[in-house]
Amino acid sequence: MSSTRFDAEARQGLAMVSPPLIYAVLMLAAPLITILAYSFFKDGYLEVIREFTLENYRAVWSDPIFHKVMARSLGVAFAVTLATVLLAFPVAYFLSFVVPPERKALWIFLITIPFWTSYLIRVFLWKVILGHNGVINSTLTSLGIIDEPLGFLLYNVQAMVITLAHAYAPFAILPIYVALEKIDRSLLEAGRDLGESRLMTFWRVTLPLAMPGVIAATLIVFIPTIGDYVTPELIGGGKMPMVANMVQANMLALDNKPMGSALAVTAMLIVTVISLIYLFLNRRFLRVKQ
Amino acid sequence: MKGSGLRAYAIAYLIFLYAPILLLPIFAFNSGTIIAFPLKGFTTDWFAQMLANQTLRRAFTNSLIIAISSATFATCLGVFAARASTRFNFPGKTGIMGLIMLPLVLPEIIIAMSMLVVLLAIGVKLSIFTVILGHTLICLPYTIAILSTAFNSLDKSLEEAAYDLGETKWSAFRLVILPLVMPGIISALLMSFTISLDEFIIAFFLAGNEPTLPTYIFSQLRFPKSIPVIMSLGTVLVVMSIILLAVAEYFRRRGLARTGQKDHGGFL
């Protein structure tokens, strides 16, 4: 039995949270459940037949194109995540340990500005840089270094990885920085006092304590990257679809909503399973209490 | 000197982050029709063409309406959620807040596609209104993140003092709490305005035939001859974002100062 005071508080809290909750249920939960339901329905001409079937999933799982697209999406997302997190760590470390406290806000502001400026423009700029008549090619041609524009710069997986790694770079810094800020500095002094070298202190004290931030950064980059639509469209030239493009093509161009839904649900499941395995493998770092 | 190598690396990293964006103003003012070095000469023609373009004006008006509406709705809903999660305990709190914050980690294409399927199924016509619905949803978690910090820093005894002095729940909220969280509210408004203004995926799928600035940009990318105008448009957008963010940051810091907190830096 809970006390009346708790009941009153619970009622007030629920009343307070109800407007955003109702909005999220209508605009987020209901559409997601619809997608889930559609993935078990049959596709008819111009309409969806409400009849339970597992056919869509069978088709998705046995489709060699889906295998290829999913493998490409995973490959790109892994490469982008690895690059962003490795490149971000020293910056986060610098922010936390070297920058004086009164300058920190300015540095963070500078790093987060590109994060908030149009993602589409940042992707498009890479197309401008790498394109057939782009900055690199036309500059090299006008300088007489090459005769023909280089064709291998754009429309391939490497170009997509560069673009995405650049677009998501700031995402990785903040979680790692926050984890580093939480580390009790006296632990590091203790490490040094007990005769550890600077490097060993970093390896045995700083890094394990920073791991929750690194893990968060990995997932923050990995999840949106794998669902990216714009980069394969612009930088991949539409010829290197990732899973988001395949979902979109099935939903709209092919007008097969059950199939598109099954693809979306499958992709989300794969991402969730990978994230959970990753969290499980790193569980010993997440148990650390600050 | 301690950390000089790290400092050099961090500066190089910043240059890498900003280098592509710096191309925008360079080519927006370059008189050459192709985007290439060496530069030809200085011109403001592209900006003039941009201002004269009717579709672009329409896209700009649409984007403005969408961004103002979404920012307002998201911030209003965010106030409720942030207040509820910082002040009250209620059953299912983790799950409820988890659902509301979910768009933060969900790829936008999933949100856009699932909303599109439902809107088409119930026969809602796609327009800027449907984009507002989507943008409100994705801005909401950001406003909650900002507003929670603002509400968290409130001293509960101030509110109790107001009750003791005979204020009602509503008047205490209006006279005591609201002024204290006002910087947070302004910061949340500006932040969601910026997000909505720049957002592409949801606008692309939910706007029907109405252009917004990002979808207009996307539609012009196929035509090499419109790239210089897009460069000048991009310059304007980036400058607008930076100004809005700087103002948002100013209000966030003022909010921290008003409630006597230490600045830890950063929006999230």
Side-chain angles (χ1 to χ4, degrees):
Chain A
M1 285 275 281
S2 47
S3 68
T4 39
R5 203 193 156 279
F6 174 79
D7 281 346
E9 190 186 326
R11 253 203 317 279
Q12 269 188 332
L14 283 171
M16 185 70 84
V17 85
S18 61
L21 175 63
I22 291 168
Y23 194 81
V25 167
L26 288 179
M27 295 295 153
L28 183 64
L32 289 179
I33 291 168
T34 311
I35 290 269
L36 187 63
Y38 268 31
S39 71
F40 291 108
F41 288 160
K42 268 189 191 157
D43 182 51
Y45 179 67
L46 289 180
E47 56 175 351
V48 174
I49 301 163
R50 287 162 197 250
E51 206 174 291
F52 182 84
T53 175
L54 287 171
E55 199 42 52
N56 300 315
Y57 285 99
R58 222 167 278 140
V60 167
W61 283 102
S62 61
D63 181 6
I65 299 175
F66 174 72
H67 294 168
K68 204 174 162 199
V69 169
M70 198 67 217
R72 179 186 295 136
S73 309
L74 285 171
V76 168
F78 280 134
V80 169
T81 309
L82 192 68
T84 37
V85 173
L86 285 181
L87 290 173
F89 194 93
V91 180
Y93 188 88
F94 167 75
L95 275 179
S96 183
F97 285 86
V98 182
V99 175
E102 68 277 8
R103 300 286 296 278
K104 279 182 183 177
L106 176 69
W107 269 93
I108 290 171
F109 185 61
L110 281 176
I111 285 169
T112 40
I113 281 181
F115 166 99
W116 295 109
T117 52
S118 177
Y119 166 67
L120 180 70
I121 289 178
R122 279 179 289 149
V123 173
F124 141 73
L125 283 170
W126 279 102
K127 192 181 165 113
V128 167
I129 294 169
L130 301 171
H132 186 77
N133 287 317
V135 173
I136 292 180
N137 270 331
S138 54
T139 307
L140 290 180
T141 317
S142 68
L143 292 176
I145 296 171
I146 52 171
D147 300 324
E148 292 273 295
L150 303 171
F152 59 82
L153 294 176
L154 200 58
Y155 305 134
N156 55 35
V157 171
Q158 296 89 289
M160 296 206 287
V161 171
I162 294 174
T163 307
L164 284 167
H166 181 262
Y168 285 99
F171 280 60
I173 294 180
L174 289 183
I176 301 175
Y177 166 74
V178 170
L180 288 171
E181 279 291 278
K182 280 187 193 157
I183 297 177
D184 186 349
R185 299 302 195 258
S186 57
L187 288 176
L188 306 182
E189 280 167 35
R192 298 296 304 280
D193 289 347
L194 293 170
E196 293 277 30
S197 70
R198 202 177 269 272
L199 198 64
M200 282 312 280
T201 311
F202 174 80
W203 183 248
R204 290 173 47 165
V205 184
T206 315
L207 195 58
L209 288 173
M211 273 314 274
V214 174
I215 292 163
T218 315
L219 292 178
I220 283 176
V221 175
F222 181 74
I223 295 172
T225 311
I226 203 161
D228 192 81
Y229 174 84
V230 177
T231 303
E233 203 70 13
L234 289 179
I235 304 295
K239 294 180 205 83
M240 310 240 134
M242 298 212 327
V243 74
N245 311 78
M246 199 173 171
V247 170
Q248 185 262 350
N250 273 282
M251 288 276 196
L252 301 181
L254 306 173
D255 194 31
N256 187 342
K257 298 206 170 58
M259 190 60 150
S261 305
L263 277 169
V265 173
T266 308
M268 280 196 287
L269 268 180
I270 293 174
V271 172
T272 312
V273 168
I274 291 176
S275 307
L276 288 178
I277 292 174
Y278 179 72
L279 287 174
F280 180 76
L281 290 177
N282 286 294
R283 64 194 180 284
R284 72 190 181 94
F285 295 115
L286 297 171
R287 268 205 303 266
V288 175
K289 284 275 176 288
Q290 300 282 336
Chain B
M1 190 195 140
K2 182 176 172 262
S4 60
L6 275 173
R7 178 179 300 273
Y9 175 79
I11 289 169
Y13 188 90
L14 270 188
I15 292 171
F16 168 69
L17 276 188
Y18 280 91
I21 297 173
L22 291 178
L23 291 175
L24 282 171
I26 291 177
F27 289 108
F29 289 109
N30 178 33
S31 59
T33 48
I34 57 162
I35 306 300
F37 290 109
L39 301 172
K40 291 276 191 306
F42 181 83
T43 180
T44 51
D45 279 1
W46 309 123
F47 285 92
Q49 280 189 31
M50 177 182 88
L51 293 175
N53 185 325
Q54 285 301 323
T55 322
L56 215 163
R57 270 198 205 173
R58 184 167 180 79
F60 182 75
T61 321
N62 282 343
S63 276
L64 221 53
I65 295 172
I66 293 169
I68 291 172
S69 317
S70 321
T72 314
F73 293 146
T75 308
C76 289
L77 292 172
V79 168
F80 282 102
R83 174 84 173 139
S85 78
T86 50
R87 173 74 167 71
F88 301 103
N89 270 315
F90 47 89
K93 186 172 172 179
T94 319
I96 291 172
M97 291 315 291
L99 173 69
I100 298 173
M101 299 301 273
L102 188 62
L104 219 47
V105 291
L106 213 53
E108 280 177 359
I109 187 88
I110 300 283
I111 297 174
M113 280 297 140
S114 56
M115 281 186 78
L116 181 66
V117 165
V118 171
L119 291 169
L120 291 178
I122 57 176
V124 177
K125 204 169 156 287
L126 297 180
S127 64
I128 58 173
F129 174 69
T130 45
V131 182
I132 294 172
L133 289 181
H135 280 184
T136 304
L137 186 71
I138 58 158
C139 292
L140 184 56
Y142 291 95
T143 66
I144 295 174
I146 296 167
L147 290 165
S148 293
T149 325
F151 277 112
N152 244 336
S153 57
L154 284 179
D155 190 344
K156 206 175 163 185
S157 55
L158 286 175
E159 194 187 338
E160 285 162 355
Y163 295 149
D164 291 346
L165 293 169
E167 297 291 349
T168 63
K169 266 216 165 78
W170 168 242
S171 63
F173 182 78
R174 194 169 57 86
L175 295 170
V176 179
I177 299 172
L178 205 56
L180 285 171
V181 295
M182 207 45 172
I185 290 178
I186 294 171
S187 177
L189 276 172
L190 293 168
M191 194 64 71
S192 23
F193 182 90
T194 317
I195 293 171
S196 169
L197 196 69
D198 282 342
E199 202 285 334
F200 168 69
I201 298 282
I202 288 172
F204 187 55
F205 290 114
L206 299 186
N209 293 324
E210 290 292 331
T212 69
L213 285 178
T215 60
Y216 176 79
I217 293 175
F218 188 76
S219 72
Q220 293 303 303
L221 294 182
R222 272 170 297 151
F223 312 116
K225 94 178 159 29
S226 49
I227 299 294
V229 176
I230 295 300
M231 286 294 207
S232 53
L233 178 60
T235 310
V236 173
L237 272 181
V238 168
V239 169
M240 268 172 75
S241 295
I242 292 175
I243 292 172
L244 285 167
L245 292 171
V247 178
E249 169 74 2
Y250 168 78
F251 277 104
R252 194 188 61 81
R253 284 195 201 178
R254 223 176 77 173
L256 290 176
R258 200 179 275 192
T259 47
Q261 272 191 322
K262 220 178 109 231
D263 190 2
H264 298 285
F267 293 110
L268 294 175

